[in-house]
Amino acid sequence: MSRSILHMLSPLKHMSPFDVNMAVDAGFDAVVPYTGVTIEDVRSLVQDAIFSRSPNDGKRTSIFIAGKNGGLALDMLDAARKAFVPPFMLNVFADPAGSFTTGAAMVAAVRKVLRHKHGTSLAGKKVAVYGGTGVVAYCAAVLVALDGGHPVLVGHDGDRRVHDISQGMKERFSVDVGHADGSNTQAREAAARGVDVILSAGPAGMNILSSTELDAVGNLLVAADVNAVPPAGLEGVGVMAGGDPFGTGKALGIGALAIGNIKYKTEFGLFRQLLATEKPITLDFRDAYKLAVEIAG
């Protein structure tokens, strides 16, 4: 059998050591990082990779797309696929800053708690997604919409950027995602009023909603927070919470470490899928969600 090779592309100055470690631990024979990569570079890099091996070795040749920009990562993934010259193809996996697998893990954890502890699903649920301009929020909102929910992106700097992001989601994935202002305490509280689920994907160490504001939501069912750095993004939701009650209502909390455990297993599992596939595959956050749901149980 030919050796497994992973080419890791990032538009940033450095490749993430986290992703390199994950790939090596997953079992790739060779892991090669490329930094400062532009979308214009992708075609030539992919074609160098596919034409240097036989078509049968495409399944043993993989491209990983890193960085910190979700839209750019998806565009680079599309550029990689367009560079194929069948039967010369390879595997492509996008997970910029680990955000695709984190967003998938977050929604999978919420899905599990809704089903197992509230006897319901995401379908029809109103979901406020804080940190709305970030990649984790982007993935989470699209996944919620694909699962039949009604997500709203809440923007820390107002609703203009999240409006544009939601329009891009509709164009790319044919989903409807709302947008709301979250630029001050009153706006963030208003965006949460009456929702069923809150997803907090804001910056580390920043409190987004206080316990008092969370209690005022009403019939909140689940609140999930990916922030592991004090103070919590959602006050009262512990980092280890895995569907634990908090506040004065019936809300259940999911913390950063519980989500992180699913995220870690999901990213590792997707690397293993690249190694095990019998034909070239392409993986993005929708594929991550399928695996995360299995892992969450």
Side-chain angles (χ1 to χ4, degrees):
M1 182 183 292
S2 59
R3 299 183 71 187
S4 58
I5 303 174
L6 178 66
H7 302 279
M8 306 185 80
L9 315 185
S10 175
L12 303 179
K13 181 180 179 181
H14 300 292
M15 179 60 64
S16 165
F18 184 101
D19 295 327
V20 173
N21 289 352
M22 291 281 284
V24 172
D25 288 344
F28 281 93
D29 294 317
V31 175
V32 186
Y34 304 75
T35 57
V37 177
T38 69
I39 192 166
E40 291 78 18
D41 296 326
V42 171
R43 179 182 178 87
S44 60
L45 289 170
V46 168
Q47 292 187 346
D48 271 0
I50 59 176
F51 290 141
S52 58
R53 311 187 89 181
S54 78
N56 291 333
D57 289 334
K59 65 185 180 182
R60 302 286 289 168
T61 313
S62 300
I63 295 282
F64 178 79
I65 298 172
K68 289 189 176 180
N69 184 312
L72 177 59
L74 291 170
D75 289 342
M76 291 175 78
L77 184 149
D78 289 340
R81 296 189 68 185
K82 289 176 182 177
F84 295 166
V85 184
F88 292 91
M89 302 166 68
L90 48 65
N91 303 312
V92 188
F93 171 24
D95 192 18
S99 298
F100 282 8
T101 45
T102 299
M106 184 184 222
V107 180
V110 169
R111 183 180 186 272
K112 175 184 178 180
V113 171
L114 283 172
R115 185 175 74 253
H116 286 242
K117 298 193 176 183
H118 286 300
T120 187
S121 69
L122 277 166
K125 298 296 185 295
K126 298 177 182 178
V127 182
V129 187
Y130 290 84
T133 59
V135 185
V136 173
Y138 183 105
C139 301
V142 172
L143 292 171
V144 167
L146 291 173
D147 244 358
H150 304 297
V152 174
L153 288 176
V154 184
H156 74 280
D157 55 355
D159 67 352
R160 185 167 185 172
R161 278 210 297 160
V162 286
H163 167 267
D164 293 343
I165 292 169
S166 67
Q167 289 299 110
M169 291 173 173
K170 187 174 183 66
E171 293 169 7
R172 193 187 290 268
F173 298 105
S174 299
V175 296
D176 291 318
V177 176
H179 53 91
D181 177 21
S183 59
N184 56 59
T185 300
Q186 292 75 23
R188 290 192 293 273
E189 185 176 3
R193 199 168 298 134
V195 303
D196 302 294
V197 175
I198 291 175
L199 305 180
S200 176
M206 177 180 174
N207 176 245
I208 291 174
L209 292 171
S210 69
S211 56
T212 301
E213 290 160 352
L214 288 165
D215 285 341
V217 170
N219 295 316
L220 183 64
L221 297 177
V222 181
D225 184 9
V226 296
N227 173 28
V229 179
L234 303 177
E235 187 178 14
V237 177
V239 293
M240 295 293 295
D244 303 341
F246 73 97
T248 59
K250 57 184 176 181
L252 303 175
I254 305 172
L257 296 186
I259 294 168
N261 183 49
I262 300 171
K263 176 264 186 303
Y264 177 89
K265 293 177 180 178
T266 300
E267 183 174 348
F268 184 84
L270 292 176
F271 277 129
R272 293 293 296 173
Q273 285 185 20
L274 299 180
L275 289 165
T277 186
E278 289 301 316
K279 61 181 180 179
I281 56 175
T282 299
L283 304 173
D284 64 21
F285 61 85
R286 291 165 293 184
D287 304 284
Y289 184 53
K290 292 176 185 177
L291 181 57
V293 166
E294 294 178 15
I295 291 168

